Amino acid sequence: MSDEAASLDPSDWATFRNQAHALLDDLITHIETIRERPVWQPPPAASQERFRQPLPHRERDLASVLGDVRTHIIPYATGNLHPGFMGWVHGAGTPIGMLAEMVAGGLNMNCGGRNHIGLHVEKQIALWMAEALGYPGTASGVFLTGSSMANFAALTVAKVKACGPGIREGGLGEFGGRLTAYTSVEAHGCITQAMELSGLGSANLRKIGVDASGRMDVAKLEMAIEADRSAGLSPFLIVATAGTVNTGAIDPLEYISEVARKEGLWFHVDGAIGALAAFSPALRPLISGIEKSDSVALDFHKWGHVPYDAGFLLVRDHAAHKAAFSNSAAYLQRSERGAAAGETWPCDLGPDLSRGFRALKTWMTIETLGTDRMGDAMLANCLTARYLSEKVQRSPIFELKAPVSLNIVCFGVRGADGRVNRELVLDLHESGIAVTSWTRIDGQTVIRCAIVNHRTTREDIDRMMECLADLAIRRCPESRE
Ligand SMILES: Cc1ncc(COP(=O)(O)O)c(C=O)c1O
């Protein structure tokens, strides 16, 4: 075989160019006309079957592969681009992000390290987030898949800071079973998982009770820390949440920061949902106190609408961050010049070595839209959530199930069993009109609308509520009264 024949590039660049342009056009049209299609539809049997084929040994014409993409993939996506999608906290993406993914794919950079522009773009994002959240410019930041990983990485940094770098080699040793962390009962499950993965054990995570608005009760937090100290344990970390997954509640960050300072504990904020509210001057006061934290986990792929995935960890103390992850392996050695130059690489700040160019899609999105416009879109979501909550409160059929702090509205059919709410959500999915999710509040299953999408308007809320009311009357005719 000749060297040329071994190349995986197209043999006919002109044909490839035409196919690529047509695909880009199709995707732009897909986003432009997203309202004209159902929010969600299940992949039909034929499409599922398409992905149960044996490993292909022979090459196939790209045009035919793209035919499969158009027929079997594009119509059966998650649905989160559509303004009727109010299910889980999913970003809606933007066409800018799509272009950025194309550039990143075209350049195929490995952003784990070495001396190239990708690392500078990533540092730019850390600088921007430090500015937005009130951290010093010396803070360090790193992209990770999402906040599950960012929270885990933050816990790891806090653990190494509390126990000293020797724990990396020696393991927990004398600290085994003694390190305790604190979060609220409303915290995301990934905090529990981070305790499990880190070897600290989820039994050593104290889940502090919340007030009527779903915010951590600081007096209970202080009591729990004191009880653990009296029992000879070693409290090391408080994880507050800025925007809980169930209701969007924001823990009292200022008060929690004071407790953390007084007790000498690492103060981490899970800002997966709410940290980017810093972009909106109207919403920024809600997360006041975040600037006093030691670290923040956040997701650009949620309210920032950067294409999946784009989680981020910001750490105030760069040295503490690096001390948890840096690695002196021979194949990662740095040089004073050339392609291996540089002091700190992203692989020194997290568990990933090879990693893509998440910074580009984040940079292009923020650089193009600007934080004012992005913040205004978040504020619009919160106002739409308030509109929905008022509509629910006026409804003879539905009632509100939790206070609305940000952009998440939980409600249900008045007086109905929680199972009815769950069935209604599934009926709604199958209608193609809207997608909401369900969750449990005070032990009861409720309908949950997370209004994250920058395309969602009040008319979309009206359409969804009309549909839900029809479905509710069909399921429980007595709810008409
Ligand atoms: C409050 C909170 N923390 C963490 C996560 C996990 O984030 P990711 O899905 O990006 O891993 C979520 C996800 O919805 C969340 O809502």
Side-chain angles (χ1 to χ4, degrees):
M1 190 195 287
S2 70
D3 287 351
E4 232 164 75
S7 166
L8 301 178
D9 284 336
S11 49
D12 176 356
W13 283 99
T15 303
F16 176 80
R17 189 181 298 274
N18 288 336
Q19 289 166 332
H21 282 265
L23 183 67
L24 180 61
D25 268 342
D26 282 1
L27 279 163
I28 293 171
T29 305
H30 178 78
I31 302 175
E32 190 183 10
T33 59
I34 195 76
R35 281 181 177 278
E36 295 167 19
R37 289 181 296 279
V39 179
W40 171 87
Q41 49 189 342
S47 293
Q48 295 185 37
E49 188 54 34
R50 179 65 197 79
F51 300 102
R52 284 198 281 265
Q53 305 301 313
L55 183 67
H57 293 288
R58 301 251 165 220
E59 74 179 297
R60 183 175 158 217
D61 183 25
L62 176 64
S64 149
V65 176
L66 292 180
D68 277 349
V69 171
R70 289 183 171 95
T71 308
H72 297 298
I73 293 181
I74 293 178
Y76 308 111
T78 320
N80 47 326
L81 269 64
H82 196 289
F85 190 95
M86 302 166 217
W88 302 269
V89 180
H90 284 13
T94 68
I96 299 157
M98 178 181 75
L99 287 189
E101 286 285 62
M102 189 182 74
V103 177
L107 297 177
N108 191 30
M109 284 153 67
N110 184 341
C111 292
R114 312 221 155 76
N115 183 14
H116 60 76
I117 196 68
L119 274 60
H120 295 272
V121 182
E122 189 152 345
K123 278 191 193 143
Q124 170 72 90
I125 304 299
L127 261 179
W128 279 351
M129 290 323 295
E131 184 180 334
L133 297 176
Y135 268 39
T138 49
S140 65
V142 69
F143 276 93
L144 293 146
T145 41
S147 282
S148 301
M149 280 305 294
N151 284 318
F152 171 64
L155 186 144
T156 306
V157 177
K159 181 180 76 174
V160 173
K161 177 81 180 170
C163 304
I167 193 183
R168 290 184 58 181
E169 188 182 348
L172 282 173
E174 55 171 311
F175 295 100
R178 278 188 42 217
L179 290 178
T180 52
Y182 305 80
T183 196
S184 93
V185 289
E186 287 293 310
H188 192 269
C190 67
I191 309 299
T192 303
Q193 191 190 51
M195 290 292 282
E196 291 166 2
L197 295 178
S198 63
L200 299 183
S202 51
N204 294 315
L205 178 65
R206 309 288 182 245
K207 294 191 177 163
I208 309 297
V210 293
D211 64 15
S213 302
R215 295 150 49 94
M216 190 192 289
D217 182 328
V218 181
K220 287 184 181 156
L221 169 68
E222 288 185 289
M223 282 190 299
I225 295 171
E226 199 185 317
D228 283 336
R229 285 216 199 278
S230 308
L233 300 175
S234 305
F236 80 108
L237 165 71
I238 304 174
V239 180
T241 308
T244 59
V245 63
N246 273 335
T247 68
I250 298 166
D251 285 335
L253 304 179
E254 294 275 4
Y255 292 136
I256 295 173
S257 78
E258 282 167 25
V259 175
R261 192 175 38 79
K262 194 175 71 183
E263 297 284 348
L265 308 189
W266 188 277
F267 174 33
H268 172 70
V269 177
D270 176 2
I273 293 180
L276 290 183
F279 287 177
S280 160
L283 299 177
R284 177 66 177 83
L286 296 177
I287 56 167
S288 174
I290 200 166
E291 66 284 356
K292 298 187 177 138
S293 60
D294 293 301
S295 52
V296 180
L298 61 100
D299 276 333
F300 291 108
H301 58 220
K302 289 190 169 75
W303 237 355
H305 304 295
V306 171
Y308 285 92
D309 44 41
F312 197 75
L313 173 64
L314 188 70
V315 180
R316 174 182 300 275
D317 178 348
H318 172 74
H321 191 180
K322 196 169 171 181
F325 294 105
S326 66
N327 183 328
S328 58
Y331 45 84
L332 294 177
Q333 276 176 29
R334 318 293 146 96
S335 54
E336 62 297 343
R337 60 194 175 79
E343 195 188 324
T344 302
W345 290 348
C347 64
D348 297 318
L349 304 175
D352 297 315
L353 178 52
S354 294
R355 53 206 287 285
F357 197 0
R358 297 183 183 111
L360 178 67
K361 57 192 173 183
T362 307
W363 179 80
M364 275 180 65
T365 301
I366 299 176
E367 183 75 16
T368 310
L369 295 174
T371 58
D372 287 353
R373 191 168 163 202
M374 293 175 77
D376 284 351
M378 294 175 210
L379 180 60
N381 285 158
C382 294
L383 297 176
T384 308
R386 196 180 301 164
Y387 173 78
L388 170 57
S389 74
E390 287 165 3
K391 205 173 167 76
V392 168
Q393 280 166 309
R394 284 195 309 271
S395 161
I397 301 175
F398 299 104
E399 62 187 0
L400 213 54
K401 297 290 188 183
V404 177
S405 312
L406 208 59
N407 59 340
I408 299 178
V409 184
C410 293
F411 61 98
V413 177
R414 285 178 189 272
D417 187 289
R419 274 172 299 192
V420 171
N421 293 329
R422 185 174 175 280
E423 288 304 308
L424 276 185
V425 169
L426 304 185
D427 290 347
L428 185 67
H429 292 178
E430 286 169 355
S431 76
I433 302 282
V435 166
T436 70
S437 60
W438 70 93
T439 190
R440 286 178 83 76
I441 303 233
D442 295 333
Q444 203 199 358
T445 302
V446 303
I447 301 168
R448 169 177 172 270
C449 278
I451 303 173
V452 181
N453 193 319
H454 55 89
R455 302 182 182 102
T456 304
T457 63
R458 293 174 185 206
E459 288 79 55
D460 296 307
I461 298 292
D462 291 343
R463 250 159 68 84
M464 174 195 64
M465 287 306 283
E466 244 168 67
C467 181
L468 267 180
D470 284 350
L471 293 166
I473 289 167
R474 228 175 291 160
R475 273 200 180 270
C476 21
E478 69 282 3
S479 65
R480 188 193 292 273
E481 282 105 54

